[in-house]
Amino acid sequence: MSYEVKLDAFSGPLDLLLHLIHRLEIDIYDIPMSELTEQYIDHIHAMQTLELNEASEYLVMAATLLAIKSRMLIPINEGEIDTAELEVDEADPREELVARLIEYKKYKEAAVQLQELETERGQVFTKAPSDLSEFMPDEQMVLFDQNVNVYDMLSAFQKLMRRKQLRKPLSTRVARQEISVKDQMRSVVNILKSSGGRVMFTQLFEADDKPMLVLTFLTLLELMKRQIVIVEQQNNFDDLSVLLQKEDIDDEFEQITE
């Protein structure tokens, strides 16, 4: 009567070691090398019996396990006991193996998670990007033609704040001001009108207190959103210019609640 032995497929010797550690319920930080080495070599013999083509790396790992087991079985003479007890910092022969096993375990778990994500993503059907510009109003399409985006605005504002910080006085008096976005929008538009409809970006930030600077910046973004102003930059690294686009904006202000 014959019996059939089925061996799981392993991707390498570390994979086999993790399987044995899990099956034998071994603490990976305190590996009993004698038991683990015996189980590993039995598995290698089973591979040979079943005429499986075991890779040379499995044999190298077997030799490594035997070397570690031998180092742990070396007896200590009675005269060397005191010296051995003092050598508390001596490296554990299993330390390198444990580190390799833990690292391999991390990658194996990550591979399982990636496989699950791939399976989940395979259930999703996507549509290729298409041009929807024909469905957008003309006034919104104008915004895409501007050579200045919000990141350019943020970069210019950060440079402005750094310059303000350098010129900040050693002592100052803080006075609370209640100014709404709506009021600041009127102020910015009035500055543009009095300057012929164009000013430099930095000219709108004459104040020295941070709340007022932030309010002006948010106001400028709101004016751009409503297409009351546009911001231009002639060449790379040049200062930004703010241009007034609409003269009659009373209707725009009536829609603002703050």
Side-chain angles (χ1 to χ4, degrees):
M1 182 177 179
S2 62
Y3 62 92
E4 183 177 339
V5 177
K6 180 180 179 181
L7 297 178
D8 296 328
F10 301 102
S11 58
L14 291 175
D15 198 24
L16 173 56
L17 285 177
L18 283 178
H19 169 74
L20 293 175
I21 289 173
H22 178 71
R23 190 184 71 183
L24 298 173
E25 298 181 354
I26 294 175
D27 183 3
I28 195 172
Y29 294 99
D30 187 19
I31 299 176
M33 292 306 304
S34 178
E35 183 178 5
L36 182 63
T37 303
E38 181 181 353
Q39 291 288 335
Y40 184 90
I41 293 178
D42 286 344
H43 192 90
I44 295 296
H45 289 161
M47 294 171 64
Q48 294 175 340
T49 302
L50 297 174
E51 299 181 353
L52 299 178
N53 294 323
E54 70 277 5
S56 58
E57 55 183 345
Y58 283 91
L59 300 179
V60 172
M61 179 58 72
T64 302
L65 294 177
L66 289 172
I68 296 174
K69 176 183 176 182
S70 300
R71 290 176 60 186
M72 297 185 66
L73 292 177
I74 295 177
I76 301 177
N77 297 328
E78 293 183 359
E80 300 175 351
I81 294 179
D82 296 338
T83 304
E85 289 177 351
L86 294 176
E87 295 176 353
V88 293
D89 295 332
E90 184 178 355
D92 191 327
R94 303 168 294 179
E95 184 175 348
E96 182 179 354
L97 176 64
V98 170
R100 291 177 60 188
L101 284 170
I102 293 175
E103 188 72 13
Y104 178 80
K105 185 179 180 182
K106 292 180 181 178
Y107 282 103
K108 185 174 180 180
E109 292 174 349
V112 173
Q113 294 177 359
L114 291 174
Q115 181 66 40
E116 293 175 352
L117 291 174
E118 180 186 5
T119 302
E120 181 180 351
R121 183 64 180 84
Q123 306 300 318
V124 179
F125 296 91
T126 58
K127 179 180 179 297
S130 56
D131 185 10
L132 302 177
S133 58
E134 58 179 314
F135 302 103
M136 298 183 65
D138 294 337
E139 56 270 16
Q140 290 190 6
M141 290 299 298
V142 175
L143 299 178
F144 292 95
D145 297 331
Q146 304 301 321
N147 61 352
V148 176
N149 55 37
V150 66
Y151 299 105
D152 297 322
M153 298 283 293
L154 287 172
S155 177
F157 184 68
Q158 288 174 349
K159 293 178 182 178
L160 176 71
M161 293 296 290
R162 285 196 292 268
R163 289 198 296 267
K164 292 286 186 180
Q165 187 68 25
L166 291 175
R167 297 199 298 265
K168 185 176 181 180
L170 296 179
S171 61
T172 183
R173 174 182 293 180
V174 178
R176 183 179 179 87
Q177 291 182 313
E178 294 290 346
I179 302 178
S180 65
V181 173
K182 183 176 180 178
D183 293 336
Q184 188 64 9
M185 287 176 66
R186 290 185 182 275
S187 176
V188 170
V189 170
N190 289 334
I191 293 174
L192 285 166
K193 286 182 178 181
S194 62
S195 303
R198 176 191 289 266
V199 297
M200 302 305 295
F201 179 82
T202 53
Q203 290 180 249
L204 299 175
F205 297 89
E206 298 295 338
D208 290 326
D209 58 310
K210 186 175 181 180
M212 190 64 180
L213 294 174
V214 174
L215 175 62
T216 303
F217 182 72
L218 295 177
T219 298
L220 190 57
L221 292 179
E222 182 65 26
L223 289 171
M224 292 176 63
K225 176 183 176 182
R226 296 175 179 273
Q227 301 177 41
I228 298 174
V229 303
I230 62 173
V231 179
E232 292 182 344
Q233 185 180 43
Q234 298 297 329
N235 300 299
N236 288 337
F237 309 111
D238 285 352
D239 290 336
L240 303 181
S241 300
V242 183
L243 285 75
L244 182 63
Q245 291 292 99
K246 295 180 181 180
E247 292 286 344
D248 186 11
I249 55 175
D250 292 335
D251 294 340
E252 295 286 346
F253 287 138
E254 290 178 0
Q255 299 174 10
I256 302 174
T257 57
E258 296 184 352

